[in-house]
Amino acid sequence: MLLNKGYDVHGIVRRVALEDETHRLWRIRKIIDNLTLHAASLESYASLVKIMQKIKPDEVYHLAAQSYVGYSFEDEFSTLNTNINGTHYVLSALKEFEQNVKYYFAASSEMFGKVKEVPQNELTPFYPRSPYGISKVTGFELTRNYREAYNLHASSGILFNHESPRRGFEFVTRKISFAVARIKNGMQKNIKLGNILSKRDWGFAKDYVEAMWLMLQKEKPGDYVIGTGQEHSVEEFANLAFSHVGLNYKDYIVTDKKLLRPSEVDSLIADSSKARKELGWKPTVNFNDLVKMMVESDLEYIKNNL
Ligand code: F7E
């Protein structure tokens, strides 16, 4: 999106990923020659200061994190460490660099956790239910504090789940769309899932990056909830995905207790009226089309890789 808008785009990548491009950088394969990648890490404050001073960015989009909620229970130490300190380091490095930079922080609907009101807006109190959710609340508060204390143009997008064919295979939507394509082609017999009753507000990632950019074009920074305002269960996602290839999901789902989370977020639904009003943002892809897009893309992927 930024390249299409004519931006000069820089990114930071850990050295370990730069050495394993095919495997680690597949999502940006098609545009990699148009980007400038720098070896740096969220875990190294010094590397971030160096990069900020070298590039002198106009806009910074901080999306990096250990973002898999389920895994955050298994490795809470590294999730909290990377997500909290990493965000602090980026903010502090920007403050050192003292320029008219605009900063975006990827906050998350996981901060609402055991929801205090329905739907959730920018004023809904947080009640995170995982180490990941807790790390995002801290990142959100750090961002707000840097905005208020140092007058930094720092905004947080409280993004609800956003999916696309580029989603990682560990997240439930892609796990299902990929399994559907494999089952349809006789490469897999069933799919193991955890809690299929939990509900999420699922939107299309491409719509959501537009919202991030719009936040940074505003004269004043702020916090914005971004979501579709519609919620669906994991079961509904599976039902639609399997029906798309003429199969009944009930014949293929196996419940695996190991995939249940120690504390779950049962239901999330966004009230993004502030973003709609102040940013003029609205989602363009509905749930049915999103599921269809992901299944179609995985059928194509299987066809090309068979
Ligand atoms: O789980 C349930 C699971 O891992 C969705 C991240 O991008 O969005 C994402 O977090 C739901 C949960 O995403 C399986 O228990 C059932 O209730 O796809 P997910 P998430 O946890 O909602 C937020 C906004 C973020 O910020 C995060 O970074 O699906 N579920 N069975 C399962 N989930 C997974 N992953 N795998 C299963 O087999």
Side-chain angles (χ1 to χ4, degrees), residues 67-69 108-110 132 159-161 167 170-172 175 192-195 198 200 234 259 261 264-265:
S67 68
Y68 181 27
V69 178
S108 163
S109 53
E110 280 295 300
Y132 171 80
L159 269 51
F160 284 57
N161 298 52
R167 192 49 144 153
E170 68 272 44
F171 297 93
V172 80
K175 184 172 172 182
K192 286 184 182 158
L193 291 175
N195 177 16
S198 74
R200 291 290 183 274
V234 172
L259 293 167
R261 295 176 182 175
E264 173 68 288
V265 172

Side-chain angles (χ1 to χ4, degrees), residues 17-134:
L18 280 174
E19 282 164 3
D20 181 17
E21 266 196 42
T22 346
H23 188 220
R24 308 290 287 270
L25 305 180
W26 62 270
R27 289 183 186 81
I28 55 172
R29 197 183 304 138
K30 286 190 188 151
I31 53 167
I32 202 160
D33 292 339
N34 303 322
L35 306 171
T36 312
L37 298 180
H38 305 266
S41 164
L42 266 198
E43 281 147 359
S44 157
Y45 175 64
S47 75
L48 294 171
V49 172
K50 223 169 108 185
I51 293 294
M52 299 300 179
Q53 282 174 350
K54 187 169 160 200
I55 305 170
K56 301 192 173 26
D58 299 306
E59 297 180 5
V60 169
Y61 294 86
H62 169 37
L63 276 68
Q66 191 304 92
S67 68
Y68 181 27
V69 178
Y71 181 70
S72 78
F73 289 99
E74 279 167 50
D75 194 355
E76 36 183 296
F77 289 92
S78 76
T79 302
L80 293 171
N81 205 12
T82 308
N83 294 7
I84 296 176
N85 290 337
T87 301
H88 181 205
Y89 294 164
V90 174
L91 281 162
S92 179
L94 285 177
K95 182 173 147 247
E96 288 301 309
F97 146 69
E98 276 180 20
Q99 201 147 318
N100 275 341
V101 60
K102 292 178 179 173
Y103 164 85
Y104 171 85
F105 173 63
S108 163
S109 53
E110 280 295 300
M111 302 192 305
F112 297 123
K114 192 172 179 181
V115 297
K116 292 285 192 189
E117 78 183 309
V118 181
Q120 297 80 53
N121 64 35
E122 292 77 9
L123 301 175
T124 304
F126 300 139
Y127 193 146
R129 297 268 283 170
S130 64
Y132 171 80
I134 293 166

Side-chain angles (χ1 to χ4, degrees), residues 165-194:
R166 291 188 207 157
R167 192 49 144 153
F169 295 96
E170 68 272 44
F171 297 93
V172 80
T173 53
R174 185 76 196 278
K175 184 172 172 182
I176 295 172
S177 66
F178 191 54
V180 165
R182 284 175 53 92
I183 289 170
K184 184 71 187 169
N185 282 283
M187 300 162 75
Q188 188 173 325
K189 285 203 163 53
N190 52 41
I191 173 173
K192 286 184 182 158
L193 291 175

Side-chain angles (χ1 to χ4, degrees), residues 159-260:
L159 269 51
F160 284 57
N161 298 52
H162 39 290
E163 318 293 313
S164 87
R166 291 188 207 157
R167 192 49 144 153
F169 295 96
E170 68 272 44
F171 297 93
V172 80
T173 53
R174 185 76 196 278
K175 184 172 172 182
I176 295 172
S177 66
F178 191 54
V180 165
R182 284 175 53 92
I183 289 170
K184 184 71 187 169
N185 282 283
M187 300 162 75
Q188 188 173 325
K189 285 203 163 53
N190 52 41
I191 173 173
K192 286 184 182 158
L193 291 175
N195 177 16
I196 60 167
L197 300 178
S198 74
K199 293 180 177 167
R200 291 290 183 274
D201 179 335
W202 277 297
F204 180 37
K206 192 174 176 191
D207 286 339
Y208 289 45
V209 291
E210 192 73 34
M212 298 174 190
W213 179 79
L214 285 168
M215 285 175 217
L216 299 208
Q217 309 318 305
K218 293 287 287 181
E219 199 189 319
K220 285 194 179 145
D223 305 318
Y224 294 90
V225 159
I226 303 294
T228 68
Q230 308 281 322
E231 69 171 357
H232 296 275
S233 64
V234 172
E235 187 171 10
E236 282 174 77
F237 192 103
N239 184 7
L240 263 180
F242 277 94
S243 334
H244 189 62
V245 296
L247 300 175
N248 183 346
Y249 75 101
K250 289 188 176 158
D251 298 334
Y252 301 97
I253 290 182
V254 177
T255 306
D256 183 349
K257 285 198 177 128
K258 287 201 286 295
L259 293 167
L260 298 175

